[in-house]
Amino acid sequence: MKLQVAIDRVDVPAAMEMIRQVEAYADIVEIGTSLIKDFGLENSVGALTRTFPAQDFLADIKTCDEGAYEFRKTYEAGAAVATVMGFSSSATIRACAEVADAFGRDYLIDLLACDAARVRQIAAEFPRAIFCIHLPSDCAGEGLGALIEEMAGQLRAAAKAPRIAAAGGVQLASVPLLRRCGIEIGIVGSAVTKAADPAAAARAFHEAMRE
């Protein structure tokens, strides 16, 4: 399992300092939506990818329209992965997928607020995507386990060997569940970034996810 550390709601210098603390353990660093909105693609994604060229970055742009334009700009800024919302039109997701293929990059479909029928449709239509089971942050982690179990089953029923990520309050104690559900990428935010020692927290997740 891969560890993705999500960094958000800080300025770019603070993000850089956090990356320095966790880069030895994070397979992917997520540049959060608010960070991108506050500082723009070039000053967030562009600056961070230039400063840390060996690190894979996901830009959580949460595209829901203008898919080709937004994805092209995000990959040009240096992101390895960009995100599109699952409740977007299939035409939008298809445009994102086509740009991802043209750049040779990954794309993640965020399943926030998607019902079972939509999850199955997306999984069948976009088999190359990373599918993110995402509990809203406003839920404060409540119900994450049940959501992961339910949606992972739906994805596997619709696609062969889907790539699945999980986010929304993942804690160290969540790792056995993620493994049992076949999660490829565990996305961790405040459990690392707000820890007293972020490097130690990232190392603990890294080691647990590789047991």
Side-chain angles (χ1 to χ4, degrees), residues 94-111:
R94 192 173 305 113
C96 294
E98 288 171 356
V99 174
D101 287 343
F103 276 81
R105 309 282 175 87
D106 280 327
Y107 68 104
L108 180 148
I109 302 176
D110 190 327
L111 300 176

Side-chain angles (χ1 to χ4, degrees), residues 111-184:
L111 300 176
L112 185 75
C114 289
D115 63 19
R118 182 61 174 158
V119 170
R120 289 192 296 268
Q121 178 188 354
I122 291 169
E125 192 171 354
F126 302 101
R128 198 179 77 76
I130 300 166
F131 304 98
C132 183
I133 299 169
H134 187 180
L135 185 75
S137 59
D138 291 335
C139 292
E142 185 175 346
L144 178 63
L147 181 67
I148 290 171
E149 290 181 328
E150 179 183 0
M151 277 198 171
Q154 293 166 358
L155 288 164
R156 286 199 168 75
K160 183 179 180 180
R163 303 179 64 191
I164 308 175
V170 172
Q171 303 293 320
L172 200 57
S174 310
V175 173
L177 171 68
L178 302 186
R179 186 180 296 108
R180 187 168 69 251
C181 292
I183 304 303
E184 178 182 331

Side-chain angles (χ1 to χ4, degrees), residues 63-72 75 84 88-103 107 109 125-126 128:
T63 288
C64 57
D65 195 9
E66 297 285 352
Y69 175 83
E70 292 193 359
F71 263 50
R72 187 176 300 110
Y75 292 136
V84 57
S88 307
S89 70
S90 291
T92 294
I93 300 175
R94 192 173 305 113
C96 294
E98 288 171 356
V99 174
D101 287 343
F103 276 81
Y107 68 104
I109 302 176
E125 192 171 354
F126 302 101
R128 198 179 77 76

